[in-house]
């Protein structure tokens, strides 16, 4: 008779279980990296959107991004229209909330209270606040996002 014995089947199942257990941590770290990469790209794109809207004089206004840093809470950031976050037109706010595993750490921006406000001048797109902010994942990984005096936005 031909076929597999019970011992052979158990050995194959055992090997598959060992491979699955060994690959689970790798898959988990890939998810963290993907989440960090995607969130970093979204923050950079939001900053670039604010700058481009300001250069284009969209709605004849300046635009900016407000980083709401909540110590012990969930951080978020807001794309807004206006000369500052305090003087913005709230009808145009676009708020993006983080998952609890992500947070901002100010590196070198000038703070507005405990938060960061980056506003781009209407027509020229020059930022009123330059520096870096760190996007941090609680388990592993950081991304540094910078805005220079010419308005260039990049990930370091």
């Amino acid at each position: 008779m031909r076929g597999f014995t019970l011992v052979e089947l158990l050995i194959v199942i055992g090997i598959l279980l060992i491979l699955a257990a060994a690959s689970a941590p790798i898959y988990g770290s890939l998810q963290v990296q993907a989440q960090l990469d995607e969130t970093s790209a979204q923050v950079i794109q939001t900053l670039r959107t604010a700058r481009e809207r300001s250069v284009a004089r969209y709605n004849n206004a300046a635009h900016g991004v407000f980083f709401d840093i909540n110590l012990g809470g969930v951080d978020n950031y807001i794309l807004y229209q206006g000369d500052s976050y305090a003087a913005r037109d709230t009808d145009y706010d676009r708020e993006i909330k983080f998952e609890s595993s992500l947070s901002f750490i100010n590196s070198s921006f000038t703070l507005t209270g405990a938060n960061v406000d980056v506003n781009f001048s209407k027509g020229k797109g020059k930022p009123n606040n330059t520096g870096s902010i760190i996007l941090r994942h609680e388990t592993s990984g950081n991304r540094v996002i910078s805005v220079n005096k010419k308005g260039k936005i990049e990930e370091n």
Side-chain angles (χ1 to χ4, degrees):
M1 294 188 65
R2 303 187 127 199
F4 296 107
T5 66
L6 181 59
V7 172
E8 291 171 328
L9 287 174
L10 288 174
I11 290 172
V12 170
I13 291 172
I15 291 171
L16 289 175
L17 286 174
I18 291 170
L19 289 174
S23 65
I26 295 169
Y27 178 71
S29 81
L30 287 176
Q31 282 186 312
V32 169
Q33 283 299 115
Q35 182 183 29
L36 197 55
D37 290 343
E38 181 181 340
T39 303
S40 176
Q42 288 174 345
V43 171
I44 290 169
Q45 188 58 44
T46 300
L47 283 161
R48 289 179 178 161
T49 298
R51 184 178 185 279
E52 292 306 313
R53 285 182 178 183
S54 293
V55 169
R57 298 175 188 255
Y58 182 72
N59 288 337
N60 197 31
H63 296 265
V65 178
F66 184 78
F67 296 95
D68 188 9
I69 303 170
N70 296 306
L71 302 174
V74 177
D75 292 352
N76 60 354
Y77 58 102
I78 299 120
L79 174 65
Y80 67 88
Q81 177 177 295
D83 292 328
S84 70
Y85 182 72
R88 75 192 189 282
D89 184 346
T90 57
D91 291 340
Y92 294 95
D93 282 2
R94 187 174 83 194
E95 183 175 359
I96 299 95
K97 291 188 183 232
F98 278 164
E99 293 183 27
S100 60
S101 59
L102 293 165
S103 63
F104 284 123
I105 301 168
N106 181 42
S107 177
S108 58
F109 279 110
T110 303
L111 292 174
T112 304
N115 305 306
V116 174
D117 187 5
V118 181
N119 190 274
F120 297 93
S121 63
K122 180 173 59 172
K124 293 185 180 181
K126 296 211 177 205
N128 69 341
N129 195 356
T130 60
S132 299
I133 195 163
I134 300 168
L135 175 61
R136 182 176 100 49
H137 194 280
E138 71 180 8
T139 57
S140 66
N142 292 326
R143 295 288 186 277
V144 179
I145 300 168
S146 301
V147 178
N148 72 15
K149 65 182 179 182
K150 293 182 180 180
K152 184 177 180 184
I153 300 145
E154 60 188 353
E155 181 179 328
N156 299 332

